[in-house]
Amino acid sequence: MSEKFHGELKGLKQDTTEMGRFARDMLSESVRALILQDPVMAKQVVAKKKHIKDITITLEDRTYTLIALYQPMAKDMRVITCILKMITAAERIGRYGKDIANMVKHLQDQPDFTQPVPLPHMAEQVMGMIDDVIVAFETENLEVIKDFSSRDDIVDALWHSIFREMLTFMMENPKTITRGTYSIMVARYLERSGDHACKMAENVHYMVTGERIEIK
Amino acid sequence: MTPGPIISTHDLNLWYSDTHALQSISMKISKNHVTALIGPSGCGKSTLLRCFNRLNDLIDCVKISGEILLDNENIQSAGTDVVMLRKKVGMVFQKPNPFPKSVYENVAYGPRVHGVKDKAELDKIVEESLRHAAIWDEVKDRLNDSALGLSGGQQQRLCIARTLAVEPEVILMDEPCSALDPIATAKIEKLIDILKRDYTVIIVTHNMQQAARVSDYTGFMYLGKLIEFGQTNQIFENPHEDLTENYITGRFG
């Protein structure tokens, strides 16, 4: 019984890891499509929406089944609850990728307007956090998430920087308002994704140690 | 507010001949709380439970050292009145064991042994005990029927009523639900939750979900040792000892 349960739990954890990477790729590809102004790539990201929704339901159902059949406790219980929260966060991140990809076609029709300068760097920071928290979840190595608080501060600072930069452009030239607003939304989605990575890190920490931490 | 301990053990050791069955157990049982003892078969949890009302005295080869304090008095001392001790510390066993008498006589037996003769008083004790054990409505019209005609779950609640009739302070339960179906089990679990308002309950169970559901404190035992003792939610959510973790997640035992 126990071996069967632990085998299934291990498989579920592995599949959740893969879902996390799938969502991460949706986000990174959407930003890439935006920077390159590539509508084909953007369309491919949007098409992945159905898949991420399907995996969410499948993985959640598998989790509920394990809880109902085995009533896990202690570390097993913490792994299961962490999986549920990882699934939710990953789905959100994937959907932000879809939302950003959807903006690419709108931005194409707008007057020429440079991307916010810090955007690629901000995206890189957020992707790094998502990558690391997935590794921490997979390997239970907490070293890779220990500096998340300061990394999130950087992401927040970049978000404020982009916000102010865009406001300046929009005040100077109202024709840039549509595009500027979209750019602010992109930066906001990235900032939210960084927050999701922090929440995931808190949950992974609880999963591994049983102790609660707060990443501010 | 956490009430003080009603029972505490200090460096309690027990040997069955050469077998060291309980090894240096020190623990405190909180008054008006439910304490569960869990652990694999043979780890000493029933032996420990039976120390609390000196049932192990009935086994010839048993030797005990250390202290067991009930209301700050050492029950191991030579001057302890074992009959009074077992009145204070009642017990319910794995298999319901009603006497082959009527429902009424089962409950009235204890008070009679302790000197209650007045019929009206006995009637009152019987009704209160049966009500307290949540079985009154089911048996009030068949008090003179044989207790052996009751269902397993009813018999077990009758045994609890029988224990309550002598007004104990502590109720020991050794796997009280393992012979019962899930519905009867749920009734006993609900009853345990009610009983702790007036009594202190110590329960031994193999069913970890049951321990998690009914108890406030849980002790995990392994090979005669108390490995970990703490609040039930801590033990089941975040045990500090690897052995506890491995046991409750089904990795051994």
Side-chain angles (χ1 to χ4, degrees), chain B residues 185-204:
Chain B
T185 298
K187 284 186 183 169
I188 300 277
E189 288 182 4
K190 191 177 163 199
L191 177 59
I192 291 172
D193 201 45
I194 295 167
L195 287 176
K196 76 176 180 186
R197 291 177 204 156
D198 300 310
Y199 309 92
T200 302
V201 179
I202 310 173
I203 178 171
V204 160

Side-chain angles (χ1 to χ4, degrees), chain B residues 7 29 35 37 49 52 170-173 200-204:
Chain B
I7 293 179
I29 305 288
T35 300
L37 296 173
L49 195 72
F52 296 139
V170 180
I171 303 168
L172 309 176
M173 296 187 171
T200 302
V201 179
I202 310 173
I203 178 171
V204 160

Side-chain angles (χ1 to χ4, degrees), chain A residues 135-154:
Chain A
V135 168
F137 173 70
E138 187 178 27
T139 64
E140 306 202 349
N141 172 13
L142 297 179
E143 272 299 298
V144 293
I145 54 169
K146 73 176 188 330
D147 55 356
F148 259 38
S149 189
S150 57
R151 290 165 77 177
D152 193 47
D153 288 345
I154 296 173

